[in-house]
Amino acid sequence: MADEQEIMCKLESIKEIRNKTLQMEKIKARLKAEFEALESEERHLKEYKQEMDLLLQEKMAHVEELRLIHADINVMENTIKQSENDLNKLLESTRRLHEEYKPLKEHVDALRMTLGLQRLPDLCEEEEKLSLEPAYHAISKSTGMPPSAPCAKPKAVLGTPRSPRGSRMNEKQKSCCPPL
């Protein structure tokens, strides 16, 4: 009977070993699966971080590109402003020269008429380049201002212009060259 009990104890121990070994194999299989999942997730995380780095580099390249575009826009705005200022100065200078020219021409025409000579042709009859109208249109387009704006076109003189002698200028001369 002692042998039988001893055998029964050994069988019980073997049964328990078997159960515990099966339980251990199940846990081992789960552990192996978890470890593989862990490695896979680490690889994915590494790939995600690399992709994030690439996206950040691309973003910075676009930010730099936008910065350069803004710098170019600022340069162009300054260039346009400078060009508009230069054009306005040239227009003012041209207007002043025209104002000097008009009385001299009227005086020369009056002297020529006293001698029986024909009047000299007006500027707009001689060359189209001496008309300021194209410059007014260029200013009005670039600045968005109407051609009659004070900075773009000198004021027109109201009334009928007079020659140095005080006589009224003829209508043909007024219609040919618009006042500046």
Side-chain angles (χ1 to χ4, degrees):
M1 216 175 223
D3 280 341
E4 241 179 68
Q5 259 185 336
E6 196 176 311
I7 292 176
M8 286 303 276
C9 275
K10 285 184 180 182
L11 284 176
E12 282 294 321
S13 292
I14 292 174
K15 183 179 176 187
E16 187 177 343
I17 289 173
R18 183 175 181 266
N19 288 339
K20 296 290 181 186
T21 303
L22 287 175
Q23 188 179 4
M24 192 175 72
E25 288 297 322
K26 286 180 185 177
I27 291 174
K28 184 179 173 183
R30 282 179 50 202
L31 187 59
K32 185 178 177 185
E34 290 287 323
F35 194 72
E36 287 173 0
L38 177 68
E39 287 178 338
S40 174
E41 199 59 39
E42 283 178 343
R43 282 192 308 272
H44 289 133
L45 182 60
K46 186 177 178 181
E47 290 172 9
Y48 298 153
K49 286 183 178 182
Q50 287 174 344
E51 185 66 25
M52 178 65 103
D53 288 342
L54 291 174
L55 288 171
L56 287 172
Q57 288 174 7
E58 186 176 354
K59 174 189 168 191
M60 293 311 293
H62 287 298
V63 166
E64 179 63 16
E65 190 175 346
L66 282 174
R67 189 191 65 74
L68 291 173
I69 289 170
H70 285 293
D72 289 346
I73 288 171
N74 288 337
V75 167
M76 286 307 297
E77 285 175 345
N78 290 335
T79 302
I80 288 169
K81 285 178 187 176
Q82 183 63 46
S83 181
E84 287 172 347
N85 288 338
D86 293 346
L87 184 60
N88 284 332
K89 287 176 186 175
L90 286 170
L91 277 172
E92 183 60 30
S93 173
T94 303
R95 187 193 63 75
R96 276 187 266 119
L97 285 173
H98 190 264
E99 291 298 319
E100 285 180 38
Y101 175 84
K102 284 191 316 187
L104 281 173
K105 183 183 181 308
E106 290 172 2
H107 186 69
V108 168
D109 283 344
L111 290 174
R112 288 176 64 93
M113 289 174 76
T114 61
L115 296 174
L117 299 173
Q118 289 185 356
R119 295 172 15 125
L120 293 174
D122 290 326
L123 286 176
C124 59
E125 292 171 358
E126 289 180 17
E127 286 190 44
E128 288 182 22
K129 287 183 181 178
L130 296 178
S131 172
L132 293 178
E133 287 304 313
Y136 296 144
H137 295 297
I139 288 178
S140 65
K141 286 180 185 175
S142 68
T143 62
M145 295 171 57
S148 62
C151 68
K153 184 176 179 183
K155 295 177 185 173
V157 179
L158 297 177
T160 306
R162 296 182 179 267
S163 69
R165 292 184 164 182
S167 63
R168 297 191 184 270
M169 293 172 52
N170 67 24
E171 293 299 309
K172 181 181 176 192
Q173 183 181 4
K174 286 193 327 185
S175 64
C176 176
C177 294
L180 292 175

